[in-house]
Amino acid sequence: MPLFAYVGRDGKGGQVKGQQEAATMDAVASTLMGRGITPVAINPASDVKEQVPLEVRFQRLMGSSGVSVEELIILCRQMYTITKAGIPLVRGVRGLAESIKHYVLQKTLFEIADRLEAGMELSVSMRYHTDVFSSLFISMVRVGENSGRLDSVFLQMAEYLERELDTARRIKSALRYPSFVLIALAVAMVVINIFVIPAFANMFSRFDAELPLPTKILIGVSDTFVNYWPHMLIVVAVSVGLWWRYMKTDNGQRFWGETKIRLPIIGDIINRASLARYARSFSLMSSSGVPLPTALALCAESIDNRFLMEKILGMKSGVERGESLIRTHTASKMFTPLVLQMVSVGEESGQVDELLKEVAEFYEREVDYDVSKLSDRIEPIILVIMAVFVMILALGIFLPMWEMYNIQK
């Protein structure tokens, strides 16, 4: 159906804008009048030039919806309150849209409200906005609609997103200090190679003396920085471009996904955080009555790791062939024996959702502990790197100065 943009006045005289799918303009006008809105202007949406804020244009250019996890959590909490209180969805969603200041989310909710008025279900309306709502989110809403438990689904999604956000914040907080130190060290290396070492090299060249090996290495690296920096910039830019392009391919995403979980120190934390997300998602879907193959497919999409995603999809294929959960989980080689035992018990007792919830909590406790100790494990490595850098710099600069001092004596 065609999409029309309208401008109208509500019962209090306030301006109301939005979009509506309908067969004709008259149908749009009738719908608006039925909602107590007096239409002022109705035009095909293609004829209306949308005034999009600059930050939204930038977000679209970067391929981002611009809707943060925090905003989705607040939305889930608000939708839980609306559905729990028995407020009609159309009125509730439209009321939320009018109170939200975020441009993209407000526009999304207005369009969802328009589709709800046209007779669509909430989950179907959300499928038009996959840049805002994930497949897991939409499927859970669909389950809530079919089971009459839409309020509990929104509450579960809010708690799920809050846990995901908390884990991500903990990891970022633990990596912030080491990241700043390494960046400062890299800047210091560039400054020293461009400005400091050339000054010492000019001084050493006045003396006809054999320079120590560390000094020769420092001067050679400095000459490379000073004389070939345009070439180095080009090489770095081309390398970054090729890497970015490779990361867009399936092989690149698979390679990076496997590399991330094999990194020293943080790789194991990333792996367990991903498995906790899988177990939490699977428990949520299973307790809501989603079929196992569908639940596994949605859990695979919820994990931001191509390597692990393909393993979960392999488990889905095994379940579709009639294999048991414990057999597919064992074949994936993703889980510890303790977790496999819990999955086996859950499958035998018919309480897979409860046992997977325990698995998720087990992984989350381990991740929380490791993240709290992450800084303590990284700081010694940072100190060693800085000590090696200072030692090389000191030997390269002070060794020839000591030799010249001995010669003069």
Side-chain angles (χ1 to χ4, degrees):
M1 269 191 289
L3 184 64
F4 295 92
Y6 62 83
V7 179
R9 298 284 179 182
D10 58 20
K12 298 180 180 179
Q15 189 181 67
V16 179
K17 293 182 179 180
Q19 294 182 337
Q20 174 77 43
E21 286 183 339
T24 62
M25 291 185 184
D26 292 337
V28 176
S30 299
T31 302
L32 294 176
M33 293 294 289
R35 286 165 39 197
I37 298 174
T38 303
V40 175
I42 301 175
N43 297 292
S46 58
D47 296 342
V48 179
K49 188 175 181 180
E50 186 182 15
Q51 298 297 322
V52 182
L54 182 60
E55 63 272 17
V56 177
R57 296 179 186 177
F58 178 75
Q59 290 165 354
R60 289 178 178 177
L61 181 65
M62 299 302 294
S64 171
S65 68
V67 179
S68 65
V69 178
E70 293 94 332
E71 287 156 347
L72 286 177
I73 291 172
I74 294 172
L75 176 64
C76 287
R77 291 288 182 183
Q78 292 172 327
M79 290 298 297
Y80 165 71
T81 303
I82 288 170
T83 52
K84 185 73 173 177
I87 298 173
L89 275 179
V90 176
R91 191 172 68 180
V93 172
R94 195 172 295 281
L96 284 179
E98 292 172 354
S99 64
I100 287 176
K101 302 300 181 183
H102 191 280
Y103 174 82
V104 175
L105 188 56
Q106 183 185 60
K107 184 173 180 292
T108 299
L109 291 179
F110 272 128
E111 292 179 5
I112 289 175
D114 290 339
R115 291 190 172 95
L116 288 173
E117 285 184 335
M120 288 188 184
E121 293 181 339
L122 180 59
S123 59
V124 177
S125 303
M126 287 180 170
R127 292 188 189 279
Y128 288 86
H129 304 281
T130 53
D131 56 333
V132 176
F133 305 106
S134 65
S135 298
L136 176 64
F137 195 109
I138 296 171
S139 296
M140 287 301 298
V141 171
R142 177 68 174 174
V143 169
E145 289 174 328
N146 292 337
S147 62
R149 298 168 54 198
L150 196 56
D151 55 341
S152 63
V153 163
F154 278 117
L155 181 60
Q156 288 176 322
M157 286 304 303
E159 294 173 347
Y160 170 79
L161 292 174
E162 284 170 351
R163 280 187 289 266
E164 292 290 301
L165 181 62
D166 181 64
T167 301
R169 282 177 172 173
R170 284 171 173 267
I171 294 176
K172 287 181 181 179
S173 177
L175 295 178
R176 188 175 294 119
Y177 169 72
S179 300
F180 282 145
V181 171
L182 292 177
I183 291 172
L185 189 61
V187 172
M189 290 178 62
V190 173
V191 172
I192 288 172
N193 278 291
I194 293 178
F195 298 104
V196 178
I197 295 179
F200 280 97
N202 290 333
M203 183 182 70
F204 296 151
S205 64
R206 298 173 187 173
F207 301 92
D208 188 15
E210 182 69 19
L211 296 176
L213 179 61
T215 306
K216 291 181 179 180
I217 294 175
L218 285 179
I219 293 175
V221 173
S222 177
D223 289 342
T224 303
F225 269 87
V226 172
N227 299 321
Y228 299 101
W229 65 266
H231 304 81
M232 294 176 67
L233 285 179
I234 293 173
V235 170
V236 170
V238 171
S239 300
V240 170
L242 291 175
W243 175 258
W244 181 82
R245 187 174 180 180
Y246 178 62
M247 286 297 102
K248 293 294 183 180
T249 64
D250 291 343
N251 289 334
Q253 292 176 5
R254 187 184 304 109
F255 168 78
W256 179 236
E258 185 175 7
T259 302
K260 281 195 298 185
I261 63 176
R262 300 190 189 283
L263 290 173
I265 300 178
I266 64 171
D268 191 44
I269 297 176
I270 294 173
N271 183 41
R272 280 181 287 182
S274 299
L275 294 179
R277 176 186 294 182
Y278 158 76
R280 181 71 65 180
S281 303
F282 196 14
S283 172
L284 191 63
M285 303 294 284
S286 179
S287 63
S288 300
V290 179
L292 288 182
T294 304
L296 287 169
L298 292 171
C299 291
E301 293 180 8
S302 70
I303 290 185
D304 187 23
N305 188 311
R306 182 82 183 190
F307 177 72
L308 295 179
M309 183 185 78
E310 291 184 354
K311 283 184 172 291
I312 296 172
L313 290 177
M315 293 162 56
K316 168 182 171 289
S317 300
V319 170
E320 289 176 336
R321 291 193 301 267
E323 297 179 7
S324 63
L325 275 179
I326 181 58
R327 183 172 182 179
T328 56
H329 279 66
T330 303
S332 69
K333 299 180 180 179
M334 293 169 54
F335 306 95
T336 61
L338 175 62
V339 173
L340 293 174
Q341 184 178 3
M342 294 177 73
V343 172
S344 177
V345 172
E347 189 173 24
E348 291 176 1
S349 62
Q351 295 180 331
V352 175
D353 53 337
E354 292 295 330
L355 270 296
L356 284 174
K357 186 178 179 180
E358 293 291 333
V359 169
E361 292 174 354
F362 167 74
Y363 278 129
E364 286 165 358
R365 284 193 296 268
E366 287 196 335
V367 169
D368 287 343
Y369 177 78
D370 286 343
V371 168
S372 66
K373 299 295 182 182
L374 187 58
S375 296
D376 297 337
R377 298 170 65 183
I378 292 180
E379 283 177 5
I381 299 175
I382 297 294
L383 290 176
V384 169
I385 293 174
M386 294 182 66
V388 170
F389 173 73
V390 172
M391 183 184 67
I392 294 174
L393 187 64
L395 289 175
I397 292 177
F398 292 114
L399 274 180
M401 294 179 67
W402 289 334
E403 291 182 4
M404 287 187 290
Y405 176 75
N406 292 330
I407 292 174
Q408 288 178 357
K409 289 179 64 176

